[in-house]
Amino acid sequence: MPEPDPVLFEVHESHLNTGLRGYPVGSCRTSAVSAQEGVSYRGYSIAELSTLSSESVIHLLLRKEIPSSEDEAIAFSNELRRRAHVPDEVFRLLEKLPKQAHPMEWLIAGILYLGMVDKADDWQEDGLNLIARINTVAAAVFRLREGWGDPIAPHADLPYGPNFAHMLGAPNAHEQLGELLRLFHVLHMDHGGGNLSTFTGKAIASGHADVYVSIAGAMGALYGPLHGRANQECLRFVKEVGSDDPQRVESFVRAKLDSGGKIFGFGHAVLRAEDPRATVQYAFAEKHFADDPLVRAALALRSIAPRVLKENPKISNPYPNVDAISGALLNAAGLQEPAYYTALFGWSRVVGITAQIIDERVNLREGRGVPIYRPRFIAVDQPPRSL
Ligand code: MLT
């Protein structure tokens, strides 16, 4: 006799039209998100992951293990390098895009075009190619949109994160930029199966669109200010705070709340404690950028805002999320235009979403894959009528 199907969740009318929040719809093999501990990738905590190279974490999400030997790690890095070539026509397309368009719109255009000119129509092959190539495409988005010059080719010997810093060639780059980008990349790669961009990417892929189109759609979901674009708003907010004086910061937070404003960088859909991705970045900020005025303002907010927010019993999570300090850090390391921060989030999240798409297409359900997404919407306000 087969075991009875366990009931994971009862659906009530009150669950309708709530954005599927918390509603179980599938399983995720790459990462898990807990309200208290935050995200882990394949059982490794953020504190552990934060010491690894991008390549090791990409390997972990795609192949489900960290490379088991130095040789395996080198072979995988070489594999990514071998696939990293971006056809020149992708850059020619980017050059034609309007400068007033958001960097995420550029990134989406670049991903789509990459698929148009160079696609294998194979989930694993295209997935690995896209992860290898997005480094070059995302760096070119910065350079061409900012007018920093022609795209820079990948360096043959640099690892993924520092290579991205090399390809950016940012005019005011701090010596820690490469290391910061490695950390940012690793921290932002994945966040469970249900965040909007991942869900969207998997939903598109479930209709058997290819990886490029699915990821472009996922990036569209990430572009919204309630999802990935929140990180650029956070730096604006920290600039508005503009001080690390505890009294001034507290008055600012109180005044903001009294006027119905939002405290950017605090709270999260799932977490109910400080986001470990924020904790790791705070430590990096204290180590390398302790004198930077915006970093100091962000650190002051960390110690003051949760206390003030906790006074309101309706606020379920008064703690910092991943965005609370990332913008101040990027700014201190020389990337001063906040509009790019969402594109950096996208550059990182491409890895996790691609890994989850591959799982849903070729690994889950004993290799049969997940069928096309087709949830049910209950028809309302439509009594029978006749003409
Ligand atoms: C995040 O990284 O925090 C997310 O993508 C947002 C979420 O999990 O809904």
Side-chain angles (χ1 to χ4, degrees):
M1 279 283 277
E3 291 287 312
D5 231 3
V7 178
L8 296 175
F9 195 84
E10 275 183 34
V11 183
H12 298 278
E13 208 170 324
S14 63
H15 291 117
L16 301 181
N17 301 324
T18 55
L20 285 172
R21 180 162 289 232
Y23 186 93
V25 290
S27 50
C28 175
R29 300 175 73 225
T30 54
S31 60
V33 186
S34 114
Q36 291 305 320
E37 310 292 333
V39 67
S40 55
Y41 301 170
R42 300 281 305 161
Y44 294 102
S45 71
I46 280 294
E48 291 166 316
L49 296 162
S50 68
T51 63
L52 299 179
S53 68
S54 290
E55 289 88 334
S56 291
V57 184
I58 294 170
H59 192 280
L60 176 67
L61 295 179
L62 289 176
R63 311 255 160 99
K64 313 298 181 247
E65 291 297 343
I66 289 170
S68 57
S69 64
E70 187 66 16
D71 283 354
E72 196 179 5
I74 293 172
F76 187 65
S77 299
N78 288 342
E79 163 104 56
L80 287 173
R81 276 203 196 95
R82 191 174 60 70
R83 291 167 178 268
H85 174 75
V86 171
D88 219 40
E89 51 202 297
V90 176
F91 304 131
R92 302 292 80 83
L93 169 91
L94 293 177
E95 275 164 6
K96 293 199 187 81
L97 297 179
K99 295 273 196 293
Q100 73 270 21
H102 193 278
M104 274 304 264
E105 294 176 291
W106 279 53
L107 189 68
I108 292 167
I111 292 170
L112 276 177
Y113 200 69
L114 200 51
M116 289 182 219
V117 295
D118 203 3
K119 165 165 50 187
D121 265 326
D122 174 281
W123 297 110
Q124 322 224 35
E125 195 58 18
D126 282 333
L128 201 53
N129 284 341
L130 176 57
I131 290 169
R133 289 168 194 169
I134 193 72
N135 224 12
T136 315
V137 174
V141 166
F142 274 76
R143 289 190 64 73
L144 296 171
R145 189 173 172 279
E146 282 302 285
W148 288 346
D150 286 337
I152 299 175
H155 191 289
D157 302 319
L158 284 174
Y160 198 96
N163 213 345
F164 184 63
H166 161 76
M167 287 188 282
L168 282 181
N172 301 315
H174 187 277
E175 57 175 20
Q176 287 295 326
L177 182 63
E179 174 56 6
L180 175 62
L181 288 170
R182 177 204 61 80
L183 183 65
F184 185 99
H185 194 232
V186 166
L187 298 182
H188 286 80
M189 274 189 206
D190 206 33
H191 207 254
N195 66 78
L196 183 65
S197 48
T198 306
F199 183 80
T200 304
K202 291 187 294 190
I204 297 174
S206 78
H208 293 194
D210 59 70
V211 164
Y212 294 92
V213 170
S214 306
I215 293 291
M219 292 298 113
L222 194 68
Y223 174 50
L226 295 189
H227 191 12
R229 210 182 334 152
N231 70 357
Q232 75 178 60
E233 302 311 324
C234 272
L235 184 68
R236 298 210 171 96
F237 181 75
V238 173
K239 282 186 176 161
E240 234 188 288
V241 174
S243 166
D244 65 346
D245 174 73
Q247 268 171 2
R248 287 183 60 183
V249 174
E250 180 160 345
S251 314
F252 178 90
V253 171
R254 289 192 184 282
K256 201 52 156 190
L257 289 171
D258 290 347
S259 65
K262 188 169 154 40
I263 308 301
F264 284 89
F266 290 77
H268 191 273
V270 183
L271 276 132
R272 296 294 174 264
E274 179 171 293
D275 189 327
R277 299 171 299 177
T279 311
V280 165
Q281 292 182 89
Y282 283 130
F284 190 89
E286 276 163 343
K287 183 162 172 206
H288 298 292
F289 296 107
D291 295 332
D292 179 87
L294 291 181
V295 164
R296 293 177 69 88
L299 289 166
L301 271 171
R302 178 200 198 184
S303 57
I304 292 158
R307 176 167 50 77
V308 179
L309 288 166
K310 271 185 211 164
E311 290 169 13
N312 180 346
K314 289 202 189 118
I315 297 181
S316 49
N317 175 9
Y319 300 105
N321 61 43
V322 66
D323 300 331
I325 176 77
S326 61
L329 264 177
L330 291 166
N331 178 74
L335 299 183
Q336 277 134 6
E337 176 46 60
Y340 288 96
Y341 298 171
T342 316
L344 290 176
F345 192 165
W347 160 69
S348 318
R349 192 54 65 93
V350 160
V351 179
I353 303 177
T354 300
Q356 293 198 35
I357 286 176
I358 294 174
D359 281 341
E360 288 214 352
R361 301 296 17 107
V362 303
N363 293 327
L364 290 177
R365 302 174 80 230
E366 286 92 41
R368 283 174 291 134
V370 174
I372 186 168
Y373 282 27
R374 188 38 178 108
R376 176 172 167 217
F377 279 66
I378 311 284
V380 295
D381 299 336
Q382 302 175 66
R385 292 197 286 180
S386 53
L387 286 174

